[in-house]
Amino acid sequence: MNDTPLPFDDVKSLIEKMPPLISEMAKMHEARFKDLIFPEGLESISGLSRHLSLCQQKHPPEANRLELALFAGAHGVASQRITKKTQQNVADYVAAIQQGTAPLNQICAQYGAGLKVFEVGADLPTEDITNESAMSEKEAVATVAFGMEAVAQGGDILALTSSGAGGNFIATVLAAYILGGEAEDWLALEDATGEAEFKRQIECFHAVKKRHDADYEPLELLRRVGGREIAALIGAIIAARYQSIPVLLDSLSALVAALLLKQMRADAVDHCLVAHVAEHQAFINILNALEMRPIIDMNFAPDGGMGAATTFGIIKSAVAVHVYTGHEDIKDKVKQQKTA
């Protein structure tokens, strides 16, 4: 991106120029589905492989190069003790993944998926959004660019997730700005470590609303009340579209990144699927606003990548069923048996 006097213009231009999805490959997929033997009951997973064909602009679709990218960050508002997750928790999780000892490593290995962690200020929190804007405009744009570069190597499918001290609260507040509603519509006691912490969450929610105007455009909202993970996730989603890579959204921050993009262009996240649904009030609210159905519902955490990694198995199964080349011979045998 060019370093212009208006950095957001670069991001807006990238979003405006994202290539549309051409339906021809999806039509070829649908024709192929009719040739499957015993297709009854396969509609749901066939829909997944159809989505891959549409987004990859390729028929048949492929699910060989699977990648999961986790963006780790930190937020100044976490210093007000409103979140269960601390910077140390995030650092420990990142270290476990890098050492190959986290459960996430084992699931990704099971499906031959790559797993990468990108730290976007995990040891350098953004400003406390109850008092200041989270980032400068140049910082926000630079982080979007970083997210684009982080996934530049491509692949068949890209899963996106995040982890950050205060990240879920930040994402919740940002979504509330976009979709409206009061604290009770977005926050829940079970998200806090206790009633005192939950009360502080509500106080911080109102403090942010008082500090920042609600009428800003999406990228300005991102700068003021968002975080580096969300900015990087926006960049990754944009880059995936240009590379014809379907995306699996895993975390609350990833959903908010998609929500921001959808505010800017109606079809901006048509290449995305939601991997799972967490039992989290904000997660469900955003999912409904995006009008997307999760692939699985197993009550994974609202961030961290476990839902997306588990979904890889279903995706690979959907593609395997669709691309199997022995259907025609088997169908002929079935017909012969029926006429015998």
Side-chain angles (χ1 to χ4, degrees), residues 21-236:
L21 300 181
I22 309 299
S23 62
E24 187 61 31
M25 294 302 172
K27 292 178 181 177
M28 292 176 66
H29 179 281
E30 292 162 3
R32 172 65 175 170
F33 178 70
K34 295 177 181 178
D35 289 334
L36 297 184
I37 185 170
F38 306 133
E40 295 82 4
L42 294 178
E43 290 84 358
S44 58
I45 64 170
S46 180
L48 296 178
S49 56
R50 178 189 184 280
H51 180 81
L52 298 188
S53 281
L54 176 63
C55 299
Q56 293 176 350
Q57 295 294 281
K58 182 187 299 183
H59 181 82
E62 296 182 1
N64 299 314
R65 296 174 58 201
L66 309 176
E67 297 288 341
L68 195 159
L70 183 148
F71 294 93
H75 303 271
V77 72
S79 64
Q80 301 199 33
R81 293 181 298 158
I82 59 169
T83 176
K84 295 179 181 179
K85 186 176 294 182
T86 65
Q87 277 186 247
Q88 188 59 52
N89 294 147
V90 176
D92 292 343
Y93 188 51
V94 167
I97 293 174
Q98 292 172 336
Q99 294 164 9
T101 58
L104 187 61
N105 294 92
Q106 318 317 315
I107 298 177
C108 286
Q110 174 74 15
Y111 300 117
L115 173 57
K116 296 179 180 179
V117 176
F118 301 98
E119 296 189 55
V120 283
D123 58 350
L124 183 65
T126 57
E127 299 295 333
D128 183 345
I129 61 171
T130 62
N131 298 310
E132 305 287 344
S133 294
M135 301 173 282
S136 69
E137 186 169 334
K138 286 188 176 181
E139 182 182 2
V141 172
T143 312
V144 171
F146 177 83
M148 295 184 68
E149 294 168 3
V151 300
Q153 293 182 348
D156 295 329
I157 301 167
L158 174 64
L160 296 174
T161 190
S162 60
S163 183
N168 288 336
F169 176 79
I170 290 287
T172 297
V173 173
L174 187 50
Y177 265 95
I178 297 170
L179 300 176
E182 301 301 324
E184 57 268 23
D185 300 316
W186 290 95
L187 303 175
L189 178 59
E190 56 265 27
D191 294 334
T193 55
E195 291 189 5
E197 289 78 10
F198 180 56
K199 182 179 179 181
R200 279 197 292 273
Q201 276 194 8
I202 295 175
E203 290 171 350
C204 285
F205 183 98
H206 290 306
V208 174
K209 286 279 195 172
K210 184 177 180 180
R211 175 67 179 78
H212 304 281
D213 198 316
D215 296 327
Y216 295 116
E217 64 178 8
L219 291 177
E220 181 64 11
L221 273 177
L222 168 69
R223 181 186 82 78
R224 288 177 174 268
V225 300
R228 298 190 190 98
E229 307 105 298
I230 299 174
L233 288 160
I234 286 174

Side-chain angles (χ1 to χ4, degrees), residues 1 7-21 140-141 144-145 148 217-220 222 230-242 256-272:
M1 284 184 282
F8 280 157
D9 288 350
D10 292 325
V11 179
K12 293 174 185 176
S13 178
L14 286 168
I15 295 169
E16 290 171 1
K17 295 177 181 178
M18 284 194 302
L21 300 181
V141 172
V144 171
M148 295 184 68
E217 64 178 8
L219 291 177
E220 181 64 11
L222 168 69
I230 299 174
L233 288 160
I234 286 174
I237 293 171
I238 293 171
R241 181 64 161 264
Y242 277 95
V256 171
L259 186 63
L260 283 164
L261 283 167
K262 194 175 178 67
Q263 294 295 304
M264 300 177 69
R265 175 173 163 174
D267 67 344
V269 292
D270 283 0
H271 60 303
C272 298

